[in-house]
Structure formats: C-alpha cells, structure tokens
Amino acid sequence: MLYIPKITASPVIGFVEFGNVPLSKITPATIKRFLEKFNDKPGARDHIRKTISSAWTWGREYYDEVPRNPCLELKAAPRTSRTRYITDDEYAVVYYIAPSFWKAMMEFAYICRARRIELVRMTHDQILEKGIQLRRAKGSLDEITLWTPRLKKAYQIISELRRETKSDYLFCDTNGTQMKKDTLDSQWQKIMGQAHKDGLLEERFNFHDLKAKGVSDHEGLISGHKTLQAKQVYIRKTQEVKGTK
C-alpha cells in the first residue's frame, strides 16, 4: 500500500501541512524528487501525482493559506506503452491449463475487450438477451457485446461453476462475495508460473494484455475509448487494411 501524505489544516491559523511539512516549503522540484522514487512504476507514479494534485486543489478551495499547486508546473512523465501481443497459440495453451473460473474470465476479457475490474464488478443484470453489457471503467464508453457461440460457452462455464452460489456478481468467489485483487493476482501468477514451468509459454503476459489482444484482433478495433490516443494503447499488432479504391 502506497502512503500518500495528506493536506491538513493545523489549529494554528495560517499553517497548512503536507504530511509534516508546511505547504509553503513544497516546490515543483520537491514533488518531482518524490515522484522519481516511483520511476519503475509509471502507472503508480502518475496516480500519485494526480492524487496529490487533486488534494492540493481541494485545499486551495478551503484554505487561504494554501499556495499555488506545484503539480501544475510538472510535465507528465512519458509512458512507454506495452507492445506485448498474445498469439493465438499462447492464448490456447494458457486457456488449456487454466481452471474453469479463469477460462471464463479469459474469454470475457478477450471477446468483450474488458478490464479485469470490469469483470469483477459485473452483475447478473448485465447479462442481456442480446449479449453482455459492459460497464466500462475509467470513463470509457459502455457497450453491449453481442452473443457468439464462444461467448455463450464462457457464460455457461461460469454459470455452472457458481450455480449453487447466491450472489449479485457473476465472477464472485465461492462465498458469493466480490473477488479481491490480491487473490486474483495470486491465482493468475500461479497460472502463468505453471505455463512457464511446463514449457508451454516462453514469455509471461499480464491479464490486462488479453484486452489488448481482443482490441487488436477485433475487426473494428473497438475498445470503448473516447480518443484515438487512448485506443492506440491497446492496438498491439500491425493492422492489415484494404487500399483505397
């Protein structure tokens, strides 16, 4: 768990702190040096910068003593997008050894081009007559993925697995509660480790790479993103297109 210093107001008027440091002493360079500790985790680094900036903006709205937000003077550090594309063979061997729960998760992630969190939060009311309604996270556009034989099979797998479990969630644990991130991470790493140990997989991949494969393989490259820039993060293979007539 990452600790983010909180902006607080002291009983002494005119003294506002960032952790134990007066805000007046915090400069853009201070924030930059702090964020450099997370250079090996660009996602976490950007999240921390945005959290600090949001807290600082909140402080400015309530306390006259809060100086200008130093995060506004920092440029967002460039991020290198992942280029890992999962081949059909790699997908097939991992699917083969995966437990039933993960078989269904893999198929939903790939076919619906879904993040894991979107599947973990998926409820039974999203199972529609025409297909699967995906409530996308991070401000992306919701959509309905129409039924295909393969998607129906995946749904049958998870439905049968949790047939005796009462829960609002489709991908719940055996007690019917929402799956925890640490549990999911541990189980997925175990699958990856087994595939690598058995010589079935030379290079491991993240579960999130399944969405990228789904977008890359999709005829319309549909990802739910509102901008081309966001969409390009998930296109992992060179597309073949028809020439202009």
Side-chain angles (χ1 to χ4, degrees):
M1 180 67 68
L2 296 175
Y3 172 70
I4 307 299
K6 297 180 179 179
I7 295 177
T8 58
S10 169
V12 180
I13 296 177
F15 187 72
V16 185
E17 300 177 339
F18 177 85
N20 295 319
V21 180
L23 296 189
S24 60
K25 300 294 184 181
I26 304 297
T27 66
T30 305
I31 299 295
K32 185 175 179 61
R33 287 194 296 271
F34 174 68
L35 294 176
E36 285 176 348
K37 298 180 181 295
F38 304 94
N39 280 344
D40 60 332
K41 299 179 179 179
R45 179 192 60 212
D46 290 348
H47 176 72
I48 292 169
R49 179 180 64 81
K50 291 177 182 177
T51 301
I52 293 174
S53 184
S54 296
W56 208 291
T57 298
W58 174 88
R60 291 270 293 178
E61 294 177 352
Y62 288 91
Y63 302 106
D64 295 332
E65 300 82 10
V66 177
R68 175 179 167 79
N69 186 347
C71 295
L72 297 179
E73 300 181 37
L74 295 178
K75 294 182 179 179
R79 296 181 61 179
T80 302
S81 299
R82 284 180 61 80
T83 59
R84 177 75 162 94
Y85 173 74
I86 305 168
T87 66
D88 291 345
D89 287 343
E90 289 177 320
Y91 185 98
V93 296
V94 173
Y95 181 88
Y96 177 76
I97 68 170
S100 296
F101 177 88
W102 284 98
K103 280 181 167 64
M105 282 276 283
M106 288 178 66
E107 290 286 76
F108 268 67
Y110 173 66
I111 299 170
C112 299
R113 300 154 310 310
R115 297 180 179 90
R116 191 178 70 180
I117 188 62
E118 294 164 348
L119 300 180
V120 171
R121 293 175 179 173
M122 183 173 286
T123 53
H124 290 284
D125 63 348
Q126 293 173 246
I127 312 303
L128 309 179
E129 183 178 353
K130 62 175 59 177
I132 301 294
Q133 180 188 43
L134 192 64
R135 295 169 185 159
R136 293 195 180 277
K138 297 187 176 181
S140 297
L141 300 174
D142 294 353
E143 66 185 48
I144 296 175
T145 299
L146 302 179
W147 289 114
T148 64
R150 185 170 167 179
L151 185 56
K152 286 183 177 180
K153 180 180 179 182
Y155 176 61
Q156 290 171 354
I157 289 174
I158 193 63
S159 296
E160 180 61 26
L161 187 65
R162 295 291 184 259
R163 182 165 51 89
E164 302 297 332
T165 305
K166 294 182 179 180
S167 177
D168 292 333
Y169 300 106
L170 183 64
F171 291 97
C172 60
D173 62 17
T174 54
N175 295 318
T177 57
Q178 194 176 64
M179 292 288 288
K180 304 298 183 182
K181 179 181 183 302
D182 290 346
T183 301
L184 292 167
D185 289 343
S186 177
Q187 291 180 2
W188 181 252
Q189 290 305 318
K190 184 177 180 180
I191 295 171
M192 286 289 99
Q194 187 64 47
H196 188 265
K197 178 182 177 181
D198 293 345
L200 302 175
L201 195 66
E202 292 186 5
E203 182 184 357
R204 305 184 188 200
F205 55 82
N206 300 332
F207 186 84
H208 194 57
D209 290 332
L210 295 173
K211 174 179 178 177
K213 177 175 174 56
V215 175
S216 299
D217 292 351
H218 194 276
E219 182 179 1
L221 302 177
I222 303 298
S223 63
H225 293 90
K226 297 178 181 178
T227 66
L228 177 60
Q229 182 179 10
K231 183 177 184 177
Q232 287 174 331
V233 173
Y234 291 94
I235 302 176
R236 303 281 176 85
K237 68 177 182 181
T238 303
Q239 299 300 306
E240 298 180 1
V241 299
K242 296 179 180 179
T244 303
K245 294 182 179 179

